[in-house]
């Protein structure tokens, strides 16, 4: 288990961005698995700054995002494709043809999921997968229960998740789409490295459950403990319960 605890959220973000930058520097054709959320915004901001300073080149990189809402077009302000454009893609030199986000408006969603898996395989597999963790313990949108061998698929979003994500939808959970496309737990575990980042006391209980609780399909984040090369970066607040229980 590689758990890094920092004194502040800013230090956590900086360490995570440094790991992603190292992955890009150390591979001729880096393949990144990317995530969304407030935590990721700060990480992407640091990566953009590194690029603008001339120390980080995305020109040979390929990216695959974890998930997307069903029914939202790539240009919808609440779509994850739009989020990625705003926070990262528009500010770095990644090739548009190497950007992959599940298509939530695909006419055949099952075919879209199969194509997404095929594209990941064709890229040579994800080198480093960035992860957050939701209140239900999900990674990606792998809501409980999610088997550890699941692949990219259609999922029904938990009401807890819809409430958690409602800030982008006028704070109205009813406006959050009910379904999404997500990489499966098995797809995530196929990445050569995993990097999970969480900050704030609001994540402390679920982080403790993910790292100390029983392995469970009801908390998909527990699956990262099966991976041979995973890193968890936390600030002291997010790590507080885990540290007490790990003494």
């Amino acid at each position: 288990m590689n758990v890094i605890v920092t004194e502040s959220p800013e230090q956590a973000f900086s360490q995570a961005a440094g790991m992603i930058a190292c992955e890009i520097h150390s591979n001729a054709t880096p393949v990144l698995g990317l995530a969304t959320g407030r935590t990721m915004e700060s990480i992407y901001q640091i990566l953009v700054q590194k690029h603008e300073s001339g120390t980080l080149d995305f020109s040979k990189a390929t990216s695959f995002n974890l998930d997307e809402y069903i029914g939202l077009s790539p240009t919808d302000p609440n779509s994850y494709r739009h989020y990625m454009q705003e926070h990262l893609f528009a500010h770095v030199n990644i090739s548009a043809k190497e950007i992959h986000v599940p298509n939530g408006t695909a006419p055949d969603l099952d075919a879209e999921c199969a194509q997404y898996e095929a594209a990941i395989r064709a890229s040579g597999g994800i080198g480093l997968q960035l992860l957050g963790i939701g209140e239900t313990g999900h990674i990606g949108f792998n809501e409980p229960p999610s088997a550890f061998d699941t692949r990219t698929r259609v999922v029904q979003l938990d009401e807890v998740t819809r409430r958690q994500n409602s800030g982008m939808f006028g704070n109205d959970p009813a406006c959050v789409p009910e379904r999404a496309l997500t990489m499966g737990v098995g797809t995530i575990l196929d990445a050569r490295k995993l990097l999970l980042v969480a900050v704030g006391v609001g994540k402390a209980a679920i982080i403790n459950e993910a790292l100390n609780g029983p392995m469970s399909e009801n908390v998909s984040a527990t699956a990262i403990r099966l991976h041979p090369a995973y890193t968890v970066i936390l600030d002291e607040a997010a790590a507080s319960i885990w540290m007490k229980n790990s003494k």
Side-chain angles (χ1 to χ4, degrees):
M1 180 185 297
N2 184 21
V3 180
I4 299 169
V5 180
T6 66
E7 292 182 356
S8 69
E10 291 74 23
Q11 289 174 330
F13 302 146
S14 180
Q15 290 227 21
M19 284 190 63
I20 296 168
C22 183
E23 180 71 16
I24 294 172
H25 287 311
S26 61
N27 289 278
T29 54
V31 182
L32 305 174
L34 301 179
T36 55
R38 289 195 180 96
T39 297
M40 307 309 159
E41 291 175 19
S42 297
I43 295 171
Y44 294 148
Q45 184 178 24
I46 297 170
L47 293 175
V48 169
Q49 290 169 351
K50 289 178 180 292
H51 170 71
E52 291 177 342
S53 70
T55 62
L56 192 58
D57 178 16
F58 285 80
S59 64
K60 303 298 183 182
T62 298
S63 71
F64 290 91
N65 263 73
L66 282 168
D67 41 34
E68 179 61 281
Y69 292 113
I70 289 175
L72 299 190
S73 73
T75 57
D76 188 298
N78 292 321
S79 74
Y80 285 151
R81 178 63 179 82
H82 184 269
Y83 169 103
M84 292 303 305
Q85 190 69 20
E86 289 290 303
H87 293 288
L88 183 64
F89 297 151
H91 310 288
V92 299
N93 62 333
I94 189 169
S95 170
K97 66 182 179 62
E98 299 301 336
I99 293 170
H100 302 85
V101 181
N103 180 3
T105 59
D108 185 333
L109 294 174
D110 289 338
E112 170 66 13
C113 293
Q115 182 276 329
Y116 207 69
E117 289 281 331
I120 293 173
R121 290 193 299 271
S123 75
I126 293 170
L128 183 149
Q129 176 65 60
L130 178 62
L131 300 167
I133 184 170
E135 291 181 17
T136 67
H138 65 238
I139 49 177
F141 270 140
N142 289 286
E143 301 281 31
S146 287
F148 291 171
D149 62 354
T150 49
R151 314 307 300 187
T152 302
R153 69 200 192 285
V154 175
V155 293
Q156 190 80 19
L157 296 180
D158 192 283
E159 291 305 311
V160 172
T161 298
R162 295 178 71 210
R163 183 180 69 247
Q164 181 184 1
N165 291 4
S166 64
M168 298 294 292
F169 294 84
N171 294 311
D172 184 357
C175 293
V176 180
E178 296 181 358
R179 299 190 301 157
L181 300 178
T182 187
M183 285 189 199
V185 180
T187 310
I188 292 168
L189 292 178
D190 280 348
R192 288 182 283 281
K193 300 174 189 174
L194 301 181
L195 171 60
L196 189 151
V197 186
V199 299
V201 69
K203 294 296 177 75
I206 195 61
I207 282 292
N208 178 63
E209 191 169 354
L211 299 182
N212 277 335
M215 300 294 294
S216 173
E217 294 179 354
N218 288 320
V219 182
S220 62
T222 60
I224 70 169
R225 284 148 50 190
L226 300 172
H227 197 279
Y230 76 91
T231 298
V232 178
I233 300 179
L234 310 169
D235 71 345
E236 289 181 348
S240 56
I241 300 176
W242 172 76
M243 287 192 295
K244 288 178 183 177
N245 291 335
S246 299
K247 291 179 179 179

